[in-house]
Amino acid sequence: DTAVSQTPKYLVTQMGNDKSIKCEQNLGHDTMYWYKQDSKKFLKIMFSYNNKELIINETVPNRFSPKSPDKAHLNLHINSLELGDSAVYFCASSQDRGSRPQHFGDGTRLSIL
Amino acid sequence: AQTVTQSQPEMSVQEAETVTLSCTYDTSESDYYLFWYKQPPSRQMILVIRQEAYKQQNATENRFSVNFQKAAKSFSLKISDSQLGDAAMYFCAYRSLDHISNFGNEKLTFGTGTRLTIIP
């Protein structure tokens, strides 16, 4: 069984469109994250949620809106897509505290035409 | 804010040989965690090894071991008996130990990665 699953794996769309990426984890973790990996492979935190509550919001444009309907799901909605949004988006989850590592999904490659 | 530096954008090693990937970090905290993640061409992020800063003993996982030098803020990864399947991007990552009750504030700060090539 996949621990952290993201859909879709690939997303190709045009500038100006609105799109969503879904993430689900079956590990029973309390915290979920979204990371963005740019074309140079640099990974940076975007958001984190703990038990459906937004904890981290790292200077991300308002066009990005995470939503957590329950602690097992964290979706990412992006409005008015721009060329610079092209990247790989990773969802991750972890249990609170300790050295427990974050478990990552397989990533969603978003390409803006 | 913490920063993580990987000074080797690319490395290569002969199959069955040993290679060391370097990582340094900057922090004013005394308690934290360090991780190495591997990203093969399949794009998955796979945990390789972790180290708690309060532990003096270096972590080891089979062919993977770290050299953790807390005073020097250095966390290098040694891969012994390199195999073709080790070819990947390797990312060093830092995570704070959050003493405040604000759960979820434990983001990973990543280095820029090292691309490791294995030569058959």
Side-chain angles (χ1 to χ4, degrees):
Chain A
D1 284 343
T2 305
V4 181
S5 60
Q6 294 179 230
T7 53
K9 291 195 184 318
Y10 298 92
L11 189 50
V12 181
T13 190
Q14 293 196 326
M15 221 166 39
N17 284 350
D18 302 338
K19 289 293 177 186
S20 293
I21 306 172
K22 295 186 176 181
C23 179
E24 176 182 4
Q25 55 96 2
N26 62 5
L27 297 166
H29 288 166
D30 295 314
T31 305
M32 296 184 73
Y33 308 81
W34 278 109
Y35 289 86
K36 179 180 180 181
Q37 186 174 40
D38 63 22
S39 58
K40 295 184 179 178
K41 300 288 190 184
F42 184 60
L43 275 150
K44 194 172 177 350
I45 185 75
M46 298 174 69
F47 302 102
S48 79
Y49 269 73
N50 179 267
N51 278 315
K52 303 193 296 176
E53 181 185 353
L54 178 65
I55 303 297
I56 295 174
N57 184 348
E58 285 276 314
T59 59
V60 176
N62 291 337
R63 300 182 295 102
F64 290 79
S65 53
K67 285 189 172 48
S68 182
D70 55 62
K71 77 173 194 177
H73 295 83
L74 179 61
N75 305 322
L76 183 64
H77 188 76
I78 315 170
N79 288 329
S80 303
L81 281 158
E82 299 177 358
L83 289 175
D85 298 332
S86 294
V88 179
Y89 294 84
F90 284 96
C91 177
S93 72
S94 69
Q95 191 56 286
D96 292 333
R97 304 295 175 146
S99 65
R100 299 179 189 86
Q102 293 183 12
H103 295 258
F104 284 79
D106 289 345
T108 295
R109 181 177 293 281
L110 174 62
S111 300
I112 311 301
L113 302 177
Chain B
Q2 294 81 24
T3 58
V4 178
T5 301
Q6 291 180 250
S7 58
Q8 306 153 315
E10 295 184 352
M11 291 280 286
S12 60
V13 63
Q14 205 82 31
E15 195 176 358
E17 296 293 308
T18 296
V19 64
T20 298
L21 309 184
S22 66
C23 172
T24 58
Y25 56 94
D26 188 24
T27 183
S28 58
E29 300 171 336
S30 57
D31 287 334
Y32 46 86
Y33 303 109
L34 295 164
F35 303 86
W36 278 98
Y37 278 88
K38 166 185 175 181
Q39 187 179 38
S42 65
R43 202 172 71 202
Q44 293 174 298
M45 290 291 290
I46 302 165
L47 177 70
V48 175
I49 200 164
R50 75 183 102 167
Q51 174 81 43
E52 293 92 342
Y54 62 85
K55 288 187 178 178
Q56 290 189 327
Q57 188 172 5
N58 288 325
T60 62
E61 287 285 343
N62 301 316
R63 298 183 295 108
F64 299 87
S65 61
V66 298
N67 183 1
F68 173 49
Q69 302 288 329
K70 190 173 183 180
K73 295 179 185 174
S74 170
F75 182 59
S76 61
L77 174 70
K78 186 170 87 170
I79 306 174
S80 304
D81 185 25
S82 298
Q83 299 175 0
L84 294 177
D86 295 334
M89 283 286 287
Y90 284 82
F91 293 95
C92 179
Y94 174 102
R95 195 178 89 199
S96 296
L97 176 62
D98 192 354
H99 292 285
I100 304 171
S101 62
N102 198 9
F103 291 109
N105 197 23
E106 296 170 323
K107 63 182 181 184
L108 286 172
T109 299
F110 286 91
T112 48
T114 296
R115 183 178 301 280
L116 178 65
T117 301
I118 311 295
I119 303 166

